[in-house]
Amino acid sequence: MAKKKQKELVPTSAPKKLFLLDGMALIYRAHFALIRSPRFNSREICTSGVFGFCNTLLEIINKEEPTHIAVVFDTSAPTFRHEVYPEYKANRDAMPEDLSVQIPLVFRLVEAMNIPLIRIDGVEADDVIGTLARDADADGNFETFMVTPDKDFHQLVTESSFIFRPGRRGGAHEILKTLEVLEQWQVERVEQVIDILGLMGDSSDNVPGVPGIGPKTAQKLIAQFDNINNLLENTGQLKGKQKERLEENADQARLSRDLVTIRTNVEHEIELEALEVQKRDDGALKELFVELEFDGLGKRVFGRSFTAAPARAAVIREKREKEIQARLFDDEEPQEQKNIEDTKHDYQIVQTAEQRAELIAKLEKQEEFCFDTETTGLDPREALPLGMAFSYAPQSAFYVVIPPERSEAIAVMEEFRGLMESETVGKVGHNLKYDITLLKWHGIEVRGTLLDTMLAHSMKEPEMSHGLDYLANLYLGYKTIPTSDLIGPKGPEQKNMSDVPLARLAEYACEDADITLQVANVLRPDIEERGVEKVCYEVECPLVPVLVDMEHEGIRLDVEAINAYSVQLAKDIEELKARIFEAAGREFNVDSPKQLGVILFDEMKIDDKPKKTATGQYSTREAELLRLSGKHQIVEDILDYRNAAKLKSVYVDQLPHAVNPETGRLHTHYSQTWTATGRMQSNNPNLQTIPVRKERGREIRAAFVPRDGEHLILAADYSQIELRIMAELSGDESMMEAFVSETDIHRVTASKVFKVDPDDVTRTQRDQAKTVNFGIIYGISAFGLQQRLNIPRKEASSLINNYFAEYPGVQDYIDRTIEFAQDHGYVRTLTGRRRYLRDINSRSQSMRRASERLAMNSPIQGTAADMLKLAMIKVHKAIEGFRSKMLLTVHDELVFDLFREEEDEIKPIIKDAMQGALELKVPIVVEMGVGKNWLEAH
């Protein structure tokens, strides 16, 4: 097939940009650049080459903005070079297995990016690129960039075809044009590069060259004789060994020149316009990034919400699933999944008063029973009960029908009050908080020892799923009835549980209660074996009714006050915008990072070396603006504007809509296992993130008020709890002494790290020491401390070194904790809560370091979280019977509706319960405040 001729076109004023990537050379380069600290995903697949290749590809697309692009690869078929010289590339080692497995992954990446991938049998990638570059030269409308680290391509540089050599380890790329090539090779014409390459040979490709002639000698000879043919015809001008070698190896020199010459006339059917940049396939690209666990790249391309955590978790989960099932099921053959159709069971429907009385009598005699509710909706505060299922023995359950008529429903539920409120009968359930909340909003308390299989499993196996369907399959080899079988798939056509025939609904509900009980029986031995019985039985499960009561109480919001504050914020926002526009000299979209970057750095030039994002846009992140805040008032105003706008849109304007119209109060929802450390999260509305550091944010708390004039708001807060736990875990004598003597820990630290007397510590030194104290807990580096304090790196490093010299117990704790994590794969709190660290022994240094920071921090944060939960349980029990009620928990703080007449009595009760939540050597301090609103009390 003849080579296609390109049409002769008149060059345009804006040439098209064609990028031709030498695929294999780029993968090799990336793979071996990380050979000392290679990247692996959780399935132990090396990803260094794909990662580096992807970085190069994204840099080109985002920064160079090509109009046309292609990636070119070799094939395994022999080429003309093998025909003329069978030894060509014969001495190459086999491709490392870690590298070979990445080639298909790179192909998938290129396909997901919707970039043409070119491979022509019998033709090397170099020759394909050379031919396409010459085609583009002939077209006249292109600038061509050959992306490769291979020096052989230098022979192809022309006035419109260049070398694009990617930078190393994040460094800047290099573009070589004709002048750069001539200077580098010390030649007069680009094609003379071929002659130099021919003389010196190439050991990697087994091109022989002329023995004894290296790069410098080759350059001198070509400079003198212009080309190989002329050199070989004039060897008489040479002397000694050099003359002898050239004459003896003349044919070999000509062969070598032929081998290193990149062909530019390859037959092909590729139209240059077919290489035009296309829209990428985001779905395929996300799937690949998740599989390869490219978190950073994923966030760069798709935003901060991207995460590859599910892929890593899946590997851990699969491994643990196999361990569990190997222990539970002795058969080597895979277990055939059971279901309700092939499993003997006794499920009964209970409808009459006599049947209910008989069931209650049976349940009252049990040590514990499992129960589950069926309702009309997912929100237990608004849903109506349809029935309750009970089970106290495997394969047996009862479904109590609750009539739809309200008065009859209340009467039926009332019959079960004594049973549900019994302290002597334990209750088992899955996601008990839902069921207990439902009953609470219908006037029934649930008491007695609780076991929630969802919470228990999340303590035992935090890396795994916790849904009942999953647990049934994992621990029992049983497939439960899918909800979709009853009401259909999610969507507008989905039915309500109230539409399901009674027999089918009863079967479904009974199965839930029965299977939950069976799962609980299997979980119990494992809970003790894994050492999580304390956090399960003393922290998480007893906390459920506490949270239910707090959510039910809610807190009053002064809607008028917060609406007035919204109006004030709107005025502040407009005033700040006006000041920003005046300083900028024109109006623009302040919320646009791109436009803001142009104003600050192109027009106002407030920084000589502004930072840029991965996409080449100026960085206007808060951390960057804080760094520049002293350079111009406009930066302060922009930060102030952002703060005001966020407060208004996220909090002030949203909170009034969250007030329950029936109770007139905010009822947030708490999630116990939202974070890996055990910290709780609230939502609908989220009260955990209400700002407290800036004046505007604090004002929001002023709108949280007591229920009536007989009450005040009481706030009780742990003081420096994480630092105190650090002292407890490390046992450092100096740190313990500071807390025992009630000395200002930040002043003590400042005195030690700055080597000054405590009385001579300045306010600045104390503030810096405070940053160091809390930074050490989170594994801060010298670079991080430098950024946070805006001090030289050397000074930051000195502060950290001084800190560990003065608090040696802290360094010992860090070393011990990391060593434990490396040996066991997890760290734990004082209550036994585990955090698994899948990358603690990773061959990737960055991933390993990140896990080490989590290892040292998680026991501290987690113990603080457990301590607060234990305090809530103790406080809840201690103030039972008082008119004062616990309403909220935010970070290390508890908020109460304080009945005025109970203040003197209840404050010491709360303080004692909080201080005694965990038995520690270090003194625990609880600070309390009372006021007419949350702001006054805090």
Side-chain angles (χ1 to χ4, degrees):
M1 186 183 298
K3 175 178 170 244
K4 292 190 111 181
K5 292 184 178 179
Q6 300 292 326
K7 296 178 182 177
E8 293 185 6
L9 301 175
V10 178
T12 61
S13 57
K16 301 169 185 176
K17 295 176 71 174
L18 169 63
F19 278 75
L20 299 170
L21 281 68
D22 182 3
M24 191 57 72
L26 293 172
I27 297 173
Y28 259 94
R29 180 176 180 271
H31 178 78
F32 286 101
L34 296 174
I35 200 67
R36 290 187 177 180
S37 55
R39 296 177 62 94
F40 288 84
N41 69 358
S42 299
R43 297 184 185 277
E44 291 300 307
I45 295 173
C46 183
T47 60
S48 301
V50 196
F51 179 77
F53 184 90
C54 188
N55 263 320
T56 297
L57 195 56
L58 291 175
E59 178 189 8
I60 289 169
I61 291 171
N62 293 330
K63 295 183 179 180
E64 304 303 319
E65 299 180 348
T67 60
H68 296 69
I69 191 169
V71 180
V72 187
F73 276 90
D74 299 325
T75 72
S76 58
T79 70
F80 80 92
R81 293 183 178 87
H82 295 93
E83 294 174 6
V84 299
Y85 186 58
E87 292 82 7
Y88 179 64
K89 293 188 177 181
N91 63 344
R92 277 199 175 181
D93 293 333
M95 184 185 296
E97 186 178 349
D98 274 352
L99 180 55
S100 64
V101 297
Q102 298 181 68
I103 307 303
L105 297 172
V106 172
F107 288 177
R108 282 177 58 192
L109 169 67
V110 174
E111 184 179 353
M113 295 295 291
N114 214 355
I115 294 172
L117 193 151
I118 301 173
R119 304 171 77 201
I120 300 177
D121 269 341
V123 182
E124 288 192 58
D126 302 25
D127 302 317
V128 177
I129 291 174
T131 298
L132 293 176
R134 288 294 179 266
D135 289 350
D137 288 348
D139 183 287
N141 284 323
F142 285 90
E143 281 187 342
T144 302
F145 297 84
M146 295 169 282
V147 184
T148 180
D150 190 345
K151 64 183 184 302
D152 290 8
F153 280 86
H154 293 192
Q155 64 185 275
L156 297 174
V157 170
T158 66
E159 291 304 309
S160 57
S161 289
F162 320 120
I163 302 296
F164 183 102
R165 187 160 61 194
R168 286 189 174 275
R169 295 187 176 274
H173 67 267
E174 185 179 6
I175 293 178
L176 302 180
K177 298 186 178 181
T178 304
L179 180 61
E180 288 79 12
V181 170
L182 297 180
E183 287 182 352
Q184 180 171 325
W185 292 87
Q186 295 295 296
V187 293
E188 295 181 355
R189 304 183 317 282
V190 169
E191 55 267 27
Q192 289 176 298
V193 170
I194 303 173
D195 295 282
I196 294 175
L197 291 170
L199 284 176
M200 57 189 274
D202 185 344
S203 59
S204 65
D205 286 344
N206 204 30
V207 175
V210 176
I213 295 184
K216 290 184 178 179
T217 302
Q219 284 177 343
K220 290 179 181 177
L221 290 171
I222 296 304
Q224 180 179 352
F225 295 97
D226 190 72
N227 58 66
I228 282 181
N229 288 335
N230 196 38
L231 168 63
L232 296 176
E233 290 171 1
N234 292 278
T235 54
Q237 298 182 31
L238 303 175
K239 297 178 182 179
K241 282 285 186 184
Q242 193 175 80
K243 176 178 181 294
E244 183 181 322
R245 285 171 177 164
L246 280 165
E247 289 176 347
E248 288 177 356
N249 295 282
D251 290 341
Q252 187 167 291
R254 293 186 181 95
L255 171 65
S256 296
R257 187 186 192 282
D258 191 40
L259 292 173
V260 300
T261 300
I262 296 176
R263 299 303 189 258
T264 58
N265 58 349
V266 171
E267 293 183 354
H268 67 88
E269 295 183 341
I270 302 163
E271 297 283 355
L272 291 179
E273 287 306 323
L275 309 183
E276 189 172 4
V277 170
Q278 304 293 322
K279 184 179 180 181
R280 68 181 183 234
D281 182 344
D282 279 354
L285 192 60
K286 280 183 181 178
E287 182 181 344
L288 182 63
F289 279 6
V290 167
E291 180 182 328
L292 300 181
E293 300 172 17
F294 286 172
D295 264 313
L297 286 177
K299 285 177 170 58
R300 189 196 310 177
V301 175
F302 299 112
R304 293 184 180 180
S305 62
F306 177 88
T307 176
R312 293 195 292 271
V315 176
I316 303 297
R317 186 168 64 245
E318 288 171 16
K319 181 180 178 182
R320 182 60 182 151
E321 283 172 355
K322 290 177 181 177
E323 292 174 355
I324 290 171
Q325 294 190 325
R327 177 172 53 80
L328 292 174
F329 308 116
D330 295 332
D331 301 68
E332 292 184 6
E333 294 295 321
Q335 289 287 312
E336 186 173 339
Q337 200 174 45
K338 298 175 290 185
N339 59 48
I340 197 167
E341 301 297 334
D342 56 22
T343 302
K344 185 179 179 181
H345 61 276
D346 180 16
Y347 295 164
Q348 301 179 31
I349 298 176
V350 176
Q351 286 184 286
T352 68
E354 291 77 15
Q355 290 172 331
R356 291 193 293 270
E358 184 181 345
L359 174 61
I360 291 169
K362 289 179 180 177
L363 293 172
E364 286 176 335
K365 295 177 183 178
Q366 309 304 317
E367 290 186 7
E368 68 176 15
F369 61 79
C370 180
F371 81 100
D372 179 50
T373 61
E374 294 304 328
T375 68
T376 58
L378 298 177
D379 187 341
R381 301 165 187 168
E382 298 178 357
L384 298 175
L386 297 172
M388 293 188 292
F390 297 90
S391 177
Y392 59 85
Q395 283 88 46
S396 172
F398 304 83
Y399 181 70
V400 178
V401 179
I402 296 179
E405 205 281 320
R406 181 173 173 76
S407 61
E408 292 182 21
I410 292 174
V412 169
M413 294 177 72
E414 188 64 29
E415 294 175 22
F416 288 83
R417 177 185 294 279
L419 176 68
M420 303 308 289
E421 295 186 350
S422 170
E423 298 274 6
T424 60
V425 183
K427 282 83 177 176
V428 176
H430 191 84
N431 190 16
L432 271 174
K433 189 157 167 282
Y434 178 94
D435 304 291
I436 296 176
T437 299
L438 175 85
L439 294 173
K440 176 77 176 181
W441 282 77
H442 284 82
I444 296 176
E445 306 279 346
V446 176
R447 301 181 186 278
T449 303
L450 302 179
L451 174 60
D452 186 328
T453 50
M454 183 183 76
L455 290 176
H457 192 257
S458 69
M459 295 302 102
K460 188 179 87 70
E461 309 287 353
E463 298 283 314
M464 298 172 74
S465 299
H466 312 299
L468 182 59
D469 295 347
Y470 175 80
L471 300 187
N473 180 53
L474 177 64
Y475 291 99
L476 308 175
Y478 185 95
K479 179 176 173 56
T480 54
I481 301 170
T483 307
S484 58
D485 281 7
L486 277 68
I487 59 176
K490 289 182 179 180
E493 302 300 319
Q494 189 177 54
K495 296 188 294 184
N496 191 280
M497 280 293 190
S498 59
D499 301 322
V500 178
L502 175 58
R504 187 66 169 145
L505 180 60
E507 185 179 55
Y508 172 83
C510 284
E511 183 189 64
D512 269 5
D514 172 24
I515 294 302
T516 299
L517 183 70
Q518 292 185 52
V519 167
N521 292 337
V522 177
L523 285 181
R524 278 194 174 96
D526 255 9
I527 288 171
E528 294 183 12
E529 184 182 317
R530 303 281 276 186
V532 294
E533 64 270 21
K534 182 177 180 68
V535 70
C536 179
Y537 298 143
E538 297 181 28
V539 181
E540 295 299 347
C541 288
L543 184 65
V544 173
V546 178
L547 295 177
V548 170
D549 283 359
M550 289 170 62
E551 293 175 7
H552 185 265
E553 284 293 333
I555 189 168
R556 184 178 160 217
L557 183 75
D558 187 339
V559 176
E560 289 186 9
I562 206 157
N563 285 339
Y565 188 41
S566 178
V567 173
Q568 179 59 51
L569 279 175
K571 291 179 181 177
D572 292 350
I573 289 168
E574 289 306 312
E575 289 175 5
L576 285 165
K577 282 175 71 173
R579 287 166 57 176
I580 292 168
F581 293 156
E582 183 180 358
R586 66 179 179 88
E587 292 190 7
F588 64 99
N589 182 0
V590 186
D591 298 313
S592 166
K594 185 174 183 179
Q595 292 185 35
L596 182 59
V598 170
I599 291 289
L600 295 179
F601 305 116
D602 284 344
E603 298 182 14
M604 299 185 69
K605 301 186 184 302
I606 67 170
D607 191 49
D608 295 335
K609 296 180 179 179
K611 289 188 177 180
K612 291 189 175 183
T613 66
T615 59
Q617 186 174 296
Y618 290 119
S619 173
T620 58
R621 292 189 309 161
E622 182 176 5
E624 187 61 16
L625 294 183
L626 285 170
R627 184 180 70 84
L628 302 171
S629 57
K631 294 198 171 187
H632 199 289
Q633 181 60 38
I634 191 174
V635 182
E636 293 274 8
D637 290 340
I638 290 165
L639 287 167
D640 210 8
Y641 165 83
R642 284 182 175 179
N643 174 249
K646 181 178 179 180
L647 288 176
K648 187 176 188 302
S649 63
V650 176
Y651 302 105
V652 176
D653 290 349
Q654 298 301 320
L655 285 175
H657 298 293
V659 174
N660 186 305
E662 293 185 12
T663 66
R665 298 166 75 80
L666 286 174
H667 300 273
T668 189
H669 174 273
Y670 286 105
S671 300
Q672 288 171 256
T673 56
W674 186 267
T675 64
T677 59
R679 289 280 187 188
M680 281 188 293
Q681 172 75 348
S682 78
N683 51 67
N684 297 325
N686 183 352
L687 302 181
Q688 296 278 358
T689 55
I690 291 178
V692 294
R693 293 183 180 178
K694 295 182 180 179
E695 188 63 34
R696 280 202 180 92
R698 289 198 295 268
E699 283 301 316
I700 295 176
R701 294 192 172 206
F704 289 81
V705 295
R707 67 180 63 219
D708 54 39
E710 294 185 290
H711 289 77
L712 295 168
I713 293 292
L714 166 66
D717 196 0
Y718 279 121
S719 171
Q720 300 171 333
I721 189 63
E722 289 188 350
L723 285 178
R724 293 174 190 271
I725 289 173
M726 166 67 95
E728 178 76 20
L729 294 176
S730 69
D732 185 88
E733 293 181 4
S734 296
M735 190 174 284
M736 290 288 286
E737 173 58 29
F739 286 122
V740 169
S741 63
E742 299 183 0
T743 310
D744 179 355
I745 185 65
H746 302 314
R747 183 171 292 277
V748 170
T749 299
S751 170
K752 291 178 178 296
V753 299
F754 290 109
K755 310 294 185 186
V756 297
D757 189 90
D759 294 335
D760 296 330
V761 170
T762 66
R763 177 60 184 270
T764 299
Q765 288 173 328
R766 184 189 179 278
D767 288 346
Q768 290 184 338
K770 182 177 180 179
T771 301
V772 174
N773 272 331
F774 286 109
I776 292 296
I777 291 176
Y778 290 89
I780 198 168
S781 64
F783 174 74
L785 191 61
Q786 172 199 16
Q787 295 291 103
R788 213 172 283 184
L789 296 179
N790 198 19
I791 59 176
R793 176 81 66 90
K794 188 175 181 180
E795 186 178 337
S797 182
S798 177
L799 285 177
I800 291 175
N801 291 336
N802 288 348
Y803 180 95
F804 285 124
E806 295 295 336
Y807 294 129
V810 174
Q811 182 67 70
D812 182 56
Y813 158 76
I814 292 171
D815 294 341
R816 280 187 286 109
T817 304
I818 291 175
E819 184 178 356
F820 180 90
Q822 290 168 339
D823 290 342
H824 297 83
Y826 66 89
V827 289
R828 57 192 174 192
T829 67
L830 289 177
T831 66
R833 181 188 303 277
R834 293 186 178 192
R835 180 165 193 180
Y836 286 85
L837 303 163
R838 60 180 72 90
D839 297 320
I840 192 66
N841 293 309
S842 171
R843 284 180 273 187
S844 166
Q845 185 177 13
S846 61
M847 296 174 77
R848 188 174 63 252
R849 290 271 173 84
S851 287
E852 288 173 355
R853 288 193 291 271
L854 289 176
M856 60 180 287
N857 170 253
S858 294
I860 299 169
Q861 268 204 72
T863 297
D866 292 341
M867 189 170 179
L868 182 72
K869 288 178 176 179
L870 285 166
M872 292 168 66
I873 295 166
K874 287 178 177 289
V875 169
H876 182 259
K877 186 174 182 179
I879 67 173
E880 192 172 8
F882 285 87
R883 292 179 63 178
S884 299
K885 301 296 178 184
M886 185 162 55
L887 310 180
L888 298 177
T889 175
V890 179
H891 304 305
D892 301 317
E893 179 180 7
L894 298 178
V895 180
F896 300 80
D897 252 343
L898 171 67
F899 185 56
R900 289 175 185 264
E901 295 179 10
E902 294 174 349
E903 180 174 352
D904 292 341
E905 185 179 2
I906 209 165
K907 284 171 72 174
I909 292 175
I910 293 171
K911 181 171 286 190
D912 287 347
M914 292 180 70
Q915 288 178 332
L918 264 179
E919 192 174 327
L920 303 174
K921 300 186 191 73
V922 67
I924 299 301
V925 174
V926 176
E927 297 174 341
M928 308 183 87
V930 175
K932 295 179 181 177
N933 57 56
W934 189 9
L935 179 61
E936 278 189 20
H938 184 71

